Amino acid sequence: MKKFFEEFRAFIARGNVLDMAVGVIIGGAFKTIVDSLTGDIINPILGLFGGTDLSSIKVHLLGDSYLNIGNFLNAVINFLLMALVLFIIVKAFNSTEAKLKALAEKNKEKEPEKPAGPTQEELLTQIRDLLAERDQK
């Protein structure tokens, strides 16, 4: 059980979990904006053309039962709007990432190669020659 809690603590301490938590919170806030956009702006505009608010579209079943088709259409519109925004965000991120990678590769190619230093044999030869000169003096 102790190992389980240690693994859990290590999991929670990772940065990705914090990023995910922030994403969930921002996503929840963004959902309220999309709900408002759908309910307060898109539905009234569609109501001008269809003569009704989407959320009021219902099909009566037996007794007091209704199929709330309008609410379903609102949910579909919300989903499409959120999917569109996420698509744009991911596309922008991928495009930026690709540009940064290309720039990094371009900079890597521009860097002049450092001249190779003397080989081990050349260094040993120089040391031998210096020792020989010192011994001759």
Side-chain angles (χ1 to χ4, degrees):
M1 191 66 149
K2 182 179 178 183
K3 183 178 178 184
F4 174 80
F5 285 116
E6 288 175 3
E7 289 177 10
F8 180 69
R9 188 181 71 197
F11 172 76
I12 292 297
R14 280 194 275 174
N16 294 344
V17 174
L18 181 62
D19 293 342
M20 184 177 64
V22 169
V24 167
I25 291 169
I26 290 175
F30 183 69
K31 182 186 179 309
T32 60
I33 293 171
V34 171
D35 288 343
S36 176
L37 176 67
T38 303
D40 300 331
I41 296 175
I42 293 176
N43 278 346
I45 292 172
L46 291 177
L48 290 174
F49 299 108
T52 183
D53 181 17
L54 284 182
S55 62
S56 66
I57 298 174
K58 298 178 181 181
V59 174
H60 182 264
L61 298 176
L62 297 174
D64 293 334
S65 300
Y66 291 92
L67 286 178
N68 294 320
I69 296 174
N71 288 339
F72 175 74
L73 292 176
N74 281 341
V76 169
I77 291 171
N78 284 350
F79 170 77
L80 291 175
L81 288 172
M82 290 186 80
L84 175 66
V85 169
L86 288 174
F87 172 75
I88 291 169
I89 289 170
V90 169
K91 186 170 177 74
F93 177 77
N94 288 341
S95 173
T96 303
E97 184 181 30
K99 288 178 184 176
L100 289 174
K101 284 183 180 179
L103 184 62
E105 287 296 320
K106 185 177 177 184
N107 286 338
K108 188 182 279 187
E109 291 173 1
K110 284 185 178 180
E111 291 179 12
E113 290 188 27
K114 296 178 182 176
T119 64
Q120 186 176 6
E121 291 175 355
E122 292 171 339
L123 287 174
L124 290 172
T125 304
Q126 290 175 4
I127 292 171
R128 182 198 66 200
D129 293 344
L130 288 172
L131 288 173
E133 278 181 32
R134 189 182 76 181
D135 289 341
Q136 288 177 358
K137 291 183 183 180

